Amino acid sequence: VGWTGTPDDLSEPFNVEGVELHPVPISADEIELYYEGFSNDGLWPLYHDALRESTYSGEQWDAYVAVNERFAQALADIAPPDAIVWIHDYQLQLVPGLLRQRRSDLTIGFFLHIPFPPFELFSRLPWRDEIIAGLLGCDLIGFQRPTGAANFATCAQQLLDVETSDDGRTIVHDGRRISVGVFPISIDVEEVENLAAGRATRARTSQIRARLGDPEVILLGVDRLDYTKGIGLRLRAFAQLLESGQLDPERHVMVQVATPTREAVEHYQDERHEIERLVGSINGRYSRIGLPVIHYLYRSLDFEDLIALYRAGDVMLVTPFRDGMNLVAKEYCAAHIDGDGV
């Protein structure tokens, strides 16, 4: 059950590779208010240590409630008796509670792919009680890391006065026992290793190094273009090391891949402009003709090309301010099947 990614799409259910998919329509206005607004301009910065100021808008909250109700109703309509329903991420935190009201027979799980903030930050949210109550509609709530699980249990206890076990892994609410678990997401290690060992990848890796001028050390960053990832600070640190002479532009180059994301949100537009300004400034000062010291790509890469780039990189820079579970670090390690790389 999900949104197709197209505004005002009223598609009928359809089947892909044996999986029955049920579209939930979201209007263009709701994308602006619910998705880009409340979810990504309100919850996202708050859940990432309030790195940027959140927007708290009643109109955006109303849209968030409306879309969550639509998802809950769609699930209530199609779920078989006594089914297990698994709900994902911060855009749908009200769905468990709304679904529980409609279908008490269901077993409901929820997984949060991003951090959950401490009580002091979460308390900034005007609708904090409603979010906690929505999540407590679950039988199981999953987080990436123990910190997120502990923060949630504390918020539930402080805001709704629930009973929690000493370890915070069981919550009693409304006569039900709710489990709180930690399930760090991983990668398909075997797939990465097989790709990395392939002849085509090794050839592509050699081509990458040659195109970069065969430097002694390639420093690599691969991130979504998001202000939580610390790309700007990373570039400034690189420039400082060049300035101090600890890095040599004739021996060390940096490759930064920034995957476009949420391009309609103002914070992301500002971040892109700042990164591009920094890249231009550093290259203008330290590059040689035909050999920039920073190679910057603002686009997505095919997975095969990404694995080859991982193989080419001598030092992988993973420097987020705050992250749920960064898979780039895991992919880089898995791709370096010879045990090299830092």
Side-chain angles (χ1 to χ4, degrees):
V1 176
W3 176 47
T4 63
T6 302
D8 300 298
D9 187 345
L10 301 177
S11 297
E12 292 297 314
F14 57 99
N15 195 288
V16 176
E17 297 180 357
V19 178
E20 190 176 345
L21 302 179
H22 291 262
V24 175
I26 300 179
S27 70
D29 284 345
E30 286 171 336
I31 292 168
E32 181 180 344
L33 294 170
Y34 149 77
Y35 183 71
E36 294 171 355
F38 191 79
S39 295
N40 290 326
D41 207 27
L43 294 177
W44 179 270
L46 179 67
Y47 281 34
H48 288 84
D49 282 2
L51 292 170
R52 297 286 191 278
E53 282 298 316
S54 290
T55 299
Y56 301 126
S57 155
E59 187 181 18
Q60 291 179 359
W61 166 252
D62 290 344
Y64 187 83
V65 172
V67 173
N68 274 249
E69 286 180 336
R70 196 174 307 143
F71 269 85
Q73 191 59 54
L75 287 162
D77 290 343
I78 70 164
D82 302 314
I84 295 172
V85 178
W86 188 12
I87 300 160
H88 286 268
D89 227 4
Y90 61 102
Q91 300 94 340
L92 298 175
Q93 291 176 105
L94 302 180
V95 172
L98 295 167
L99 184 58
R100 176 75 57 192
Q101 294 169 13
R102 291 164 168 81
R103 292 285 303 273
S104 60
D105 61 304
L106 298 176
T107 299
I108 303 172
F110 180 92
F111 187 74
L112 185 68
H113 292 257
I114 65 174
F116 193 90
F119 175 68
E120 291 77 12
L121 286 181
F122 190 69
S123 296
R124 296 182 181 185
L125 183 65
W127 304 279
R128 52 193 175 270
D129 288 12
E130 290 89 335
I131 294 289
I132 296 295
L135 291 171
L136 290 176
C138 291
D139 296 283
L140 172 64
I141 310 171
F143 298 88
Q144 297 275 23
R145 301 193 298 132
T147 303
N151 286 345
F152 173 78
T154 299
C155 289
Q157 192 174 34
Q158 293 288 331
L159 294 171
L160 299 189
D161 197 28
V162 300
E163 290 182 43
T164 61
S165 60
D166 290 342
D167 62 3
R169 296 301 172 88
T170 304
I171 293 174
V172 178
H173 175 66
D174 203 21
R176 296 181 301 106
R177 297 178 71 82
I178 299 142
S179 296
V180 178
V182 179
F183 310 100
I185 199 167
S186 192
I187 62 170
D188 188 335
V189 175
E190 186 177 358
E191 179 191 16
V192 174
E193 289 180 340
N194 288 339
L195 271 174
R199 184 176 296 175
T201 298
R202 291 182 182 273
R204 200 176 287 131
T205 296
S206 297
Q207 289 172 358
I208 290 170
R209 294 198 74 96
R211 288 174 183 171
L212 294 175
D214 283 318
E216 186 177 316
V217 177
I218 297 171
L219 298 99
L220 176 62
V222 176
D223 310 84
R224 284 186 311 105
L225 201 154
D226 192 297
Y227 54 83
T228 64
K229 300 297 184 181
I231 301 173
L233 190 62
R234 181 188 307 161
L235 292 170
R236 290 187 185 92
F238 181 59
Q240 202 169 67
L241 291 168
L242 291 170
E243 174 71 25
S244 68
Q246 291 174 269
L247 294 183
D248 180 350
E250 295 191 12
R251 297 168 50 229
H252 305 98
V253 302
M254 182 174 176
V255 178
Q256 176 63 57
V257 179
T259 303
T261 184
R262 301 172 191 160
E263 294 174 277
V265 179
E266 186 177 357
H267 286 325
Y268 292 80
Q269 296 169 2
D270 293 344
E271 183 73 5
R272 178 184 175 184
H273 294 151
E274 173 64 6
I275 288 168
E276 290 175 351
R277 185 194 66 78
L278 280 168
V279 169
S281 173
I282 297 166
N283 273 337
R285 186 166 184 187
Y286 295 104
S287 297
R288 295 168 289 158
I289 292 176
L291 292 171
V293 71
I294 298 177
H295 298 256
Y296 173 68
L297 288 78
Y298 178 65
R299 59 186 178 87
S300 301
L301 296 179
D302 293 336
F303 197 55
E304 292 81 1
D305 291 331
L306 185 58
I307 297 300
L309 191 56
Y310 285 149
R311 294 277 296 152
D314 300 294
V315 180
M316 185 82 227
L317 302 171
V318 182
T319 62
F321 293 114
R322 196 80 165 87
D323 233 335
M325 182 60 59
N326 193 299
L327 299 185
V328 166
K330 299 185 180 189
E331 290 170 351
Y332 178 80
C333 291
H336 278 258
I337 52 177
D338 300 327
D340 57 350
V342 178

